[in-house]
Amino acid sequence: MAAKIHIFSEKNTNFAAGKIIYSSIMRIDIITIFPEMFNGPLTESIVKRAINKGLVDIHLHNLRDYSTDKHRRVDDYPFSAGAGMVMMIEPVDNCITKLKSERDYDEVIYMSPDGILLTQPVVNQLSMNQNLIMLCGHYKGIDERIREHLVTMEVSIGNYVLSGGELAAAVLTDSLVRLIPGALTDETSALSDSFQDGMVSPPVYTRPREYKGWSVPDILLSGNDAVINEWKYQQALERTKIRRPEMYEMLKKN
Ligand code: 6GU
């Protein structure tokens, strides 16, 4: 299997849509022993469109291709007693060193349950970068020297344990790609996302106006934009208070 599975799009593709010229502004290299796990998340919906527009380049690297072992091994027993295998340093170093010889990277992110919690402010900050490496761990962990010498940042997507970093890397990638200008059809949608203003979203409705006696709030049909916007704001505020009290406290402080 090829060392590098490049999903779609030539690098630096320029794509003209109306007056907007898009160019590839972010590159994400994902190191994994399960490249196939990314097929759904990166080949559908907004991420797929962003790749096809040339807004982002995503490269999957099968860690086994960087093993020097004839059985393509990437894990070994831990020194001292302990349950589970440990991801070896050499294949990871080989892969990262090769990538770094080709371009500079802003961060080498190890996807790990004990990393910093992924929140919208963290996503926003990371979205300012151009070249990112995401390393997906497996087994009981990775050799600590990888974290000491190669990794610059560790990210977790929540306080629960996944079987590996792949799903987390797919989540992080999706959250980043939707912030790239041009990735969303309505440029304002990312700004009105939940959490972007420190609040959850207000409720939304569509037709029919009446269903089984369940009706749409009259105010949304009033046609008065100022009143509607104030209602949406109050709804978002109230929901934030109930669902994310810690976020609500932050709002009150600011
Ligand atoms: Cl990044 N990896 C794993 N294995 N589990 C997780 C996680 C990451 N984030 C939350 N749980």
Side-chain angles (χ1 to χ4, degrees):
M1 190 202 268
K4 192 158 72 175
I5 303 163
H6 183 186
I7 346 182
F8 327 119
S9 106
E10 287 302 303
K11 197 167 178 280
N12 299 323
T13 304
N14 279 332
F15 183 90
K19 288 191 199 113
I20 308 162
I21 304 293
Y22 298 115
S23 61
S24 175
I25 56 175
M26 184 177 260
R27 175 181 169 121
I28 300 173
D29 289 272
I30 302 174
I31 305 170
T32 170
I33 55 171
F34 295 122
E36 310 254 307
M37 279 186 76
F38 292 88
N39 272 339
L42 303 186
T43 56
E44 298 291 341
S45 184
I46 287 167
V47 178
K48 171 187 179 178
R49 208 175 54 222
I51 291 167
N52 287 339
K53 277 183 176 176
L55 297 177
V56 60
D57 273 322
I58 302 176
H59 297 255
L60 294 172
H61 307 275
N62 190 336
L63 187 61
R64 291 191 192 284
D65 295 339
Y66 295 86
S67 169
T68 48
D69 179 80
K70 67 170 185 275
H71 304 294
R72 289 159 54 86
R73 272 184 69 173
V74 292
D75 63 318
D76 208 339
Y77 295 96
F79 282 119
S80 85
M85 305 296 279
V86 176
M87 209 172 241
M88 298 159 75
I89 190 165
E90 199 178 6
V92 174
D93 187 30
N94 288 344
C95 184
I96 291 177
T97 300
K98 176 174 175 283
L99 289 173
K100 282 183 178 171
S101 76
E102 294 163 351
R103 70 197 61 75
D104 289 333
Y105 283 91
D106 301 295
E107 302 282 358
V108 178
I109 304 168
Y110 172 44
M111 305 309 303
S112 164
D114 53 13
I116 62 160
L117 277 182
L118 189 65
T119 57
Q120 194 61 51
V122 174
V123 176
N124 294 350
Q125 187 63 41
L126 276 172
S127 75
M128 313 289 266
N129 292 312
Q130 198 140 42
N131 299 313
L132 296 172
I133 291 175
M134 297 180 195
L135 172 63
C136 305
H138 261 273
Y139 316 111
K140 265 297 165 198
I142 61 174
D143 190 309
E144 186 64 20
R145 291 167 293 179
I146 297 172
R147 300 167 84 160
E148 277 172 27
H149 300 287
L150 298 171
V151 167
T152 62
M153 182 179 186
E154 306 195 6
V155 171
S156 162
I157 63 163
N159 290 330
Y160 43 83
V161 178
L162 300 169
S163 307
E166 282 77 11
L167 293 174
V171 166
L172 176 55
T173 299
D174 184 294
S175 70
L176 287 170
V177 168
R178 61 182 286 104
L179 294 185
I180 299 174
L184 301 179
T185 36
D186 178 355
E187 286 272 0
T188 63
S189 325
L191 290 177
S192 62
D193 276 349
S194 262
F195 303 123
Q196 251 341 338
D197 46 11
M199 289 196 278
V200 303
S201 291
V204 293
Y205 299 86
T206 185
R207 293 184 296 175
R209 183 173 176 171
E210 194 80 24
Y211 181 75
K212 292 185 176 175
W214 308 332
S215 48
V216 173
D218 287 335
I219 202 160
L220 291 176
L221 306 146
S222 68
N224 186 334
D225 281 347
V227 171
I228 290 171
N229 286 337
E230 177 59 20
W231 181 86
K232 285 183 178 172
Y233 176 77
Q234 291 303 332
Q235 289 284 317
L237 204 58
E238 192 57 28
R239 285 200 165 187
T240 306
K241 187 175 175 181
I242 294 163
R243 296 173 185 225
R244 293 289 185 277
E246 72 292 345
M247 241 186 199
Y248 184 73
E249 288 307 312
M250 291 298 291
L251 278 176
K252 282 207 298 191
K253 271 187 216 157
N254 297 333

